[in-house]
Amino acid sequence: MKTIPYLKTSLAICLLAASSASSASVWAPNDGDVNFLSFSQSSFPFPSLSDTFGIFEDTAVIGAAAPVVAFTGVGAVSFTANGANYTIGTGTSSGTLLGSSNFQIGMLSDGVWSAAFGNVDLGSDANLLAFADASEFNNLHFLYAFDISPSQATGDGPAAVPLPASIWMMTSALLGVLYAGRRKSTVYA
């Protein structure tokens, strides 16, 4: 059975990749407003006024949820405490974040909302978020966000099932099935 060591190695690599993946997509404002400036490859060095971005709840699944507010290209989003919730506004629209001021940012491309695939800390509370079009990966969009810091999702929404725990349980079940299915050769005298 030479496939068992290969299978064990493959499972170990998958477990390591899943357990080391982290979510750096939740943000919190540093003061009462957050400023945004968008660029795309076609508009550089000028701001892109056609890219649409949205602010989502910190626990939302961006591809399946609606944004709390949306904005285009350049602007500011204000955050005002309203009890345990936060009212956010862009000047043209407003909404409410439940339980905290933590949020996620998504970009609308071809009718689909998608999360940033990367971000760079530029220092002084500034971050550069990178997005890709839904239809073609080589068309990048960048969003400079000022006055935000990385944060953690809070428990104000539905509870999420932790991925690493489910992977450990599934792996132990799979290894148990593989071990139980092995037949040992018996020697008759």
Side-chain angles (χ1 to χ4, degrees), residues 47-119:
S48 172
L49 302 176
S50 61
D51 293 339
T52 301
F53 296 92
I55 294 185
F56 294 81
E57 282 284 345
D58 55 349
T59 56
V61 177
I62 290 184
V68 175
V69 295
F71 60 93
T72 303
V74 178
V77 177
S78 63
F79 288 77
T80 307
N82 186 6
N85 301 326
Y86 280 79
T87 302
I88 59 174
T90 63
T92 58
S93 65
S94 65
T96 302
L97 290 174
L98 302 175
S100 73
S101 63
N102 298 340
F103 62 93
Q104 297 181 72
I105 301 172
M107 185 185 95
L108 183 63
S109 172
D110 296 332
V112 178
W113 288 100
S114 60
F117 67 85
N119 60 65

